Amino acid sequence: MNTPQDDSPRLLNFRATSFLISAAKISQCPDDSGGEVAFAGRSNAGKSSAINCLTGNKKLARTSKTPGRTQLLNFFSLSEDCRLVDLPGYGFAKVPEKIKRDWNRLMENYLKYRQSLRGLILLMDCRHPLQPFDQQMLAWAMAAQMPTHILLTKSDKMKKGPAKANLLAVSSEIEVYGGLVSVQLFSAEKNIGLSELTETLNFWLTT
Ligand code: GDP
């Protein structure tokens, strides 16, 4: 007989996240089983801060941010069969063409072929969202029919009215993708929007 607990969703404990492995190419990624959610964004969008805020671990996403260095996908274990993935930052101005091409291929293939990928968290500074690199990432995600949730980061840096206006502007731009793309305001500094983010992750990874 079912008890009430049997019906309640299995919520993830983000505080239990631990580093798993780094991969420079798809073949180095962990087994493509279970579920994972990837985080992407231009460099400086606030990706490390968001992952640290979510997991309560300031050291977790301290990755190398020097342009041109080896770009790695960093995998974190959430539970036995759930992972978070920190995708290499993009948008460095001075990256050599070959590194840009390699990065493009890696991102496109990862979004297209990773079976365990349940969704993409796409981070953008709320003061200037949907830059060309963001549009490119969104286009690859949509080509792969990948659910995408946009975090408009550093929302504490804007007054409420203008922040809301930017949220509405992005909401109306993504309407064209139907229900596949959603958006929210977020601040790692002030914990704004953290519960909305965890709800999305729980939904993708546990249902
Ligand atoms: P990443 O390159 O995308 O990993 O970006 P970081 O997380 O390193 O953040 C880039 C800069 O923005 C750092 O100086 C952070 O302190 C700052 N930052 C990140 N999130 C927030 C936020 O929510 N509010 C404010 N005010 N600053 C933030």
Side-chain angles (χ1 to χ4, degrees), residues 132-207:
F133 285 106
D134 307 320
Q135 300 277 12
Q136 174 67 83
M137 203 67 202
L138 201 51
W140 283 327
M142 293 305 98
Q145 287 288 297
M146 184 58 60
T148 300
H149 186 63
I150 297 173
L151 293 191
L152 298 178
T153 61
K154 310 186 195 181
S155 69
D156 60 286
K157 289 202 179 207
M158 287 186 89
K159 292 213 167 98
K160 278 203 172 138
K164 187 84 190 286
N166 282 8
L167 175 66
L168 289 176
V170 174
S171 301
S172 81
E173 276 210 43
I174 60 174
E175 258 173 31
V176 56
Y177 304 116
L180 208 52
V181 186
S182 49
V183 62
Q184 67 159 101
L185 289 169
F186 186 81
S187 162
E189 187 103 354
K190 297 273 191 302
N191 270 0
I192 296 168
L194 186 57
S195 57
E196 206 176 335
L197 171 62
T198 57
E199 260 172 45
T200 302
L201 295 172
N202 270 307
F203 177 69
W204 282 344
L205 289 169
T206 66
T207 57

Side-chain angles (χ1 to χ4, degrees), residues 1-4 6-7:
M1 200 179 98
N2 274 356
T3 62
D6 291 332
D7 297 332

Side-chain angles (χ1 to χ4, degrees), residues 6-196:
D6 291 332
D7 297 332
S8 56
R10 181 175 64 101
L11 292 181
L12 293 162
N13 176 12
F14 295 98
R15 309 240 144 198
T17 309
S18 60
F19 176 75
L20 192 60
I21 200 172
S22 294
K25 44 188 172 182
I26 302 276
S27 61
Q28 294 170 346
C29 293
D31 260 6
D32 197 359
S33 61
E36 66 191 34
V37 171
F39 287 67
R42 287 166 56 92
S43 58
N44 222 35
K47 184 158 56 73
S48 310
S49 304
I51 293 175
N52 294 344
C53 170
L54 173 72
T55 57
N57 185 343
K58 283 203 174 2
K59 292 189 201 128
L60 208 56
R62 198 175 41 180
T63 51
S64 163
K65 286 180 183 166
T66 311
R69 286 244 184 108
T70 313
Q71 300 264 284
L72 298 170
L73 290 86
N74 292 305
F75 289 83
F76 301 96
S77 172
L78 252 176
S79 68
E80 208 180 311
D81 56 356
C82 288
R83 294 172 299 276
L84 298 180
V85 191
D86 183 7
L87 298 179
Y90 53 99
F92 293 118
K94 290 186 195 133
V95 173
E97 257 328 294
K98 169 156 177 18
I99 291 192
K100 270 190 204 164
R101 274 201 309 274
D102 288 350
W103 185 90
N104 284 352
R105 196 177 316 122
L106 181 63
M107 288 303 102
E108 193 177 4
N109 285 337
Y110 172 75
L111 288 170
K112 200 163 159 186
Y113 297 117
R114 188 77 176 160
Q115 295 292 324
S116 52
L117 186 61
R118 300 282 169 78
L120 176 72
I121 302 289
L122 186 52
L123 297 95
M124 309 170 192
D125 190 314
C126 68
R127 293 164 296 178
H128 30 82
L130 291 172
Q131 301 278 306
F133 285 106
D134 307 320
Q135 300 277 12
Q136 174 67 83
M137 203 67 202
L138 201 51
W140 283 327
M142 293 305 98
Q145 287 288 297
M146 184 58 60
T148 300
H149 186 63
I150 297 173
L151 293 191
L152 298 178
T153 61
K154 310 186 195 181
S155 69
D156 60 286
K157 289 202 179 207
M158 287 186 89
K159 292 213 167 98
K160 278 203 172 138
K164 187 84 190 286
N166 282 8
L167 175 66
L168 289 176
V170 174
S171 301
S172 81
E173 276 210 43
I174 60 174
E175 258 173 31
V176 56
Y177 304 116
L180 208 52
V181 186
S182 49
V183 62
Q184 67 159 101
L185 289 169
F186 186 81
S187 162
E189 187 103 354
K190 297 273 191 302
N191 270 0
I192 296 168
L194 186 57
S195 57
E196 206 176 335

